[in-house]
């Protein structure tokens, strides 16, 4: 969704490549599942480097932004007494 420039793409590759060469961790999240789509966004060489150094861990679930109105906590289903983890941010 973002517009990129050649400079931004070069900086991204430099960051990914430096972490690769130093054998340091990197966490990447994306809603793109097709490597070709990702390559169109961040260049084939960056995707290639990421594929070389990363394990893919698919994560799914509901989009919490669509469960309630902005600024309101989502409704809990009736009878849902299961403990919930603490939120990363407060919704008042």
């Amino acid at each position: 969704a973002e517009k990129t420039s050649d400079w931004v793409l070069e900086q991204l590759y430099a960051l990914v490549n430096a972490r690769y060469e130093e054998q340091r961790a990197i966490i990447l999240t994306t809603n793109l599942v097709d490597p070709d789509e990702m390559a169109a966004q961040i260049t084939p060489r960056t995707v290639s480097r990421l594929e070389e150094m990363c394990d893919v861990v698919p994560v799914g679930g509901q989009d919490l932004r669509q469960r309630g109105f902005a600024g309101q906590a989502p409704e809990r289903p009736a009878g849902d007494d299961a403990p919930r983890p603490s939120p990363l941010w407060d919704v008042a």
Side-chain angles (χ1 to χ4, degrees):
E2 296 86 25
K3 293 181 180 180
T4 59
S5 66
D6 290 341
W7 182 84
V8 168
L9 296 173
E10 189 60 37
Q11 295 304 305
L12 177 62
Y13 179 78
L15 176 78
V16 170
N17 192 55
R19 296 196 72 81
Y20 173 81
E21 289 177 350
E22 296 168 9
Q23 297 182 354
R24 300 196 61 190
I26 189 167
I27 296 174
L28 171 80
T29 62
T30 180
N31 60 347
L32 301 174
V33 293
D34 180 16
D36 292 334
E37 286 182 71
M38 192 180 301
Q41 288 279 327
I42 63 171
T43 75
R45 74 177 182 158
T46 303
V47 172
S48 176
R49 180 62 80 203
L50 287 167
E51 288 177 332
E52 206 175 326
M53 65 189 288
C54 296
D55 295 323
V56 176
V57 180
V59 177
Q62 285 185 316
D63 183 345
L64 295 179
R65 293 172 292 188
Q66 295 178 353
R67 290 183 60 196
F69 294 105
Q72 295 180 350
E75 295 286 328
R76 288 178 73 163
D80 184 5
D81 296 329
R84 299 274 174 110
S86 298
L88 297 176
W89 60 89
D90 290 329
V91 177

